[in-house]
Amino acid sequence: MNALCRHSLTVCAALVLASGAAHAELEPTALVDQQHCMFCHTRDAPFLAPSFQQIAERYRNVPNAQFMLEHKLRLGGKAHWGDMAMPPAADRGGPLSAEDAHTLVLWVLSQ
Ligand code: HEC
C-alpha cells in the first residue's frame, strides 16, 4: 500500500483514480525499490530485460502463468526471453515472501 493511502482514504481514492483505468493496481513502490525491478525493467521499453507491458501481454491469458512467475521472482529460473535469466530475489535485494511475489506479479500483469 502506498504510504499516502494509510494516511488518508481520500488521498488514496484520488491516487487510485489518478492512476487511471489503464493501471488498475497501484505500484507497490516499496517492494519494487527494494527488489530493484526498475534497474533492469521499464514499463514500456525493452532495455536490459523485457518491458512489463511485453510481459503482461505475453502472460495475461496464459493459465497458471501467475504461479510460474511468482516462483521465478522468488527463486529464479531459466530464461524465457533470451539468454539472460533474471537473478533470484536473494541476489536482487533480499528474500521475497510468497505474498510479496504475488503482489508484484499481479502488478506486472496489470500493465
Ligand atoms: C538484474 C536485472 C533484473 C532485475 C533487478 C529484475 N529483473 Fe525481471 N527480468 C530480468 C531479465 C533479464 C528477464 C528476462 C528473463 C527471461 O528470459 O526469462 C526478466 C524477466 C522478468 C519477468 C518474466 C519472466 C518470464 O519467465 O517470462 C517478470 C515477471 C519479471 N522479470 C519481473 C520482475 C520484477 C517484478 C522485478 C522486481 C521484483 C524484477 N523483474 C527485477 C532482469 C531483471
Side-chain angles (χ1 to χ4, degrees):
M1 253 310 150
N2 190 295
L4 285 168
C5 281
R6 277 195 293 270
H7 187 65
S8 151
L9 270 181
T10 317
V11 173
C12 182
L15 281 173
V16 172
L17 288 176
S19 71
H23 306 295
E25 303 274 328
L26 274 185
E27 177 168 322
T29 313
L31 274 176
V32 171
D33 287 352
Q34 184 223 327
Q35 290 276 316
H36 306 294
C37 307
M38 299 334 239
F39 186 80
C40 301
H41 292 275
T42 73
R43 191 180 296 279
D44 54 8
F47 168 50
L48 293 172
S51 74
F52 284 150
Q53 282 176 0
Q54 283 179 302
I55 294 170
E57 193 69 23
R58 175 165 171 174
Y59 293 112
R60 195 171 286 138
N61 298 316
V62 179
N64 299 327
Q66 212 175 300
F67 302 106
M68 179 281 284
L69 293 174
E70 286 172 26
H71 184 268
K72 189 165 181 173
L73 262 196
R74 297 180 68 200
L75 305 171
K78 66 177 171 56
H80 285 153
W81 295 81
D83 298 334
M84 189 173 136
M86 183 162 63
D91 295 345
R92 291 194 314 260
L96 189 65
S97 71
E99 204 188 345
D100 288 349
H102 182 70
T103 304
L104 285 166
V105 167
L106 286 187
W107 168 66
V108 170
L109 294 183
S110 75
Q111 308 203 35

